[in-house]
Amino acid sequence: MPRSLLRLARRLPLTFALSVSLSASLAAQALPEPATQTAIGHFMAATQGSSDATQASLEQFQALLKAEPGHPLLMSYAGAATTLKARDAWAPWKKMSYAEDGLAQIDKALTLLDPAHDQALYQGTAVSLQTRFVAANTFLGLPDMFNRGPRGRQLLDEIQASPLFGKAPAGFQGAVLMRAARQASQAKQGERARSLYQQIIERQLPQATEAQAALKDAK
């Protein structure tokens, strides 16, 4: 590996910002609930820093993909879990390999989305929206050197602009708006961040208390 790439690899952070609302949607086909929910639970634990949970979630999503090959949401989760292994790896070349492999999976998942995934719902949310949200969170959680921030922001905008968004459960809508607000705050877009937090509060979404606290600190 070139030295310049090694230097970049060492800059991978210890954590990725993958605050995904994972209880809202899955499946163009019916997915096995116990196995799927277990994989989601491990993935959530992985985003909080558990390397054991990272490996468990990756293996579980890979197993689910064998049963449902080409399922975009399962593929996006598997890709996101793979990028988390970059966080946990010690060797710089391993970090880069995991990150690149995970991103390739997520990119493929996005290309697999079609109108059928707008219609397919799991617990009320379109599979297409959930797949994009997993991708957006992963992209926005990566270091700038991967140049995925603009695509992550674009995906968040696409989700909010979709006519399907207003039909999604309140928890999913709140999670998307919170992520968008935090991204706006990080980008020094205080007015936009405050507007998004205010939407959550006025619509009394489940994240309203969290948004109220964040609004006090938004600049």
Side-chain angles (χ1 to χ4, degrees):
M1 176 181 284
R3 289 186 178 180
S4 60
L5 192 54
L6 281 171
R7 287 196 296 270
L8 289 175
R10 292 191 183 101
R11 291 167 53 197
L12 279 166
L14 294 178
T15 60
F16 290 112
L18 291 172
S19 54
V20 187
S21 173
L22 302 179
S23 61
S25 65
L26 287 178
Q29 303 85 21
L31 296 177
E33 274 300 323
T36 300
Q37 292 301 320
T38 297
I40 289 172
H42 280 126
F43 183 79
M44 289 299 294
T47 66
Q48 301 302 312
S50 171
S51 59
D52 289 342
T54 300
Q55 183 61 33
S57 68
L58 177 56
E59 292 175 357
Q60 288 157 2
F61 281 121
Q62 288 173 336
L64 288 165
L65 270 175
K66 287 183 179 179
E68 297 289 349
H71 192 291
L73 186 51
L74 293 177
M75 191 175 293
S76 69
Y77 276 126
T82 302
T83 66
L84 284 174
K85 284 185 69 66
R87 173 200 64 193
D88 301 331
W90 287 98
W93 67 271
K94 273 285 191 181
K95 286 180 177 288
M96 291 302 298
S97 177
Y98 284 133
E100 291 170 354
D101 288 350
L103 290 173
Q105 280 187 290
I106 294 172
D107 288 340
K108 183 176 180 180
L110 291 171
T111 66
L112 289 173
L113 291 175
D114 61 29
H117 299 110
D118 291 339
Q119 302 301 317
L121 303 177
Y122 184 83
Q123 296 184 0
T125 301
V127 167
S128 58
L129 295 187
Q130 191 72 351
T131 300
R132 290 186 174 93
F133 193 40
V134 173
N137 273 286
T138 305
F139 293 168
L140 292 171
L142 288 167
D144 291 342
M145 69 185 192
F146 287 98
N147 297 315
R148 292 299 183 119
R151 179 60 172 145
R153 292 188 290 274
Q154 180 186 29
L155 286 167
L156 280 181
D157 289 342
E158 288 176 5
I159 294 168
Q160 294 171 75
S162 170
L164 302 171
F165 182 61
K167 301 175 183 178
F172 179 80
Q173 292 185 45
V176 172
L177 293 174
M178 283 295 297
R179 189 66 183 91
R182 289 189 177 117
Q183 180 58 39
S185 183
Q186 291 169 6
K188 310 293 186 186
Q189 298 172 345
E191 184 175 349
R192 175 171 168 74
R194 289 190 293 273
S195 175
L196 290 165
Y197 288 134
Q198 197 63 48
Q199 284 186 52
I200 296 168
I201 296 165
E202 290 175 355
R203 292 165 59 184
Q204 298 183 340
L205 297 177
Q207 295 81 358
T209 300
E210 185 180 359
Q212 185 70 61
L215 184 60
K216 295 177 181 179
D217 297 328
K219 297 179 180 180

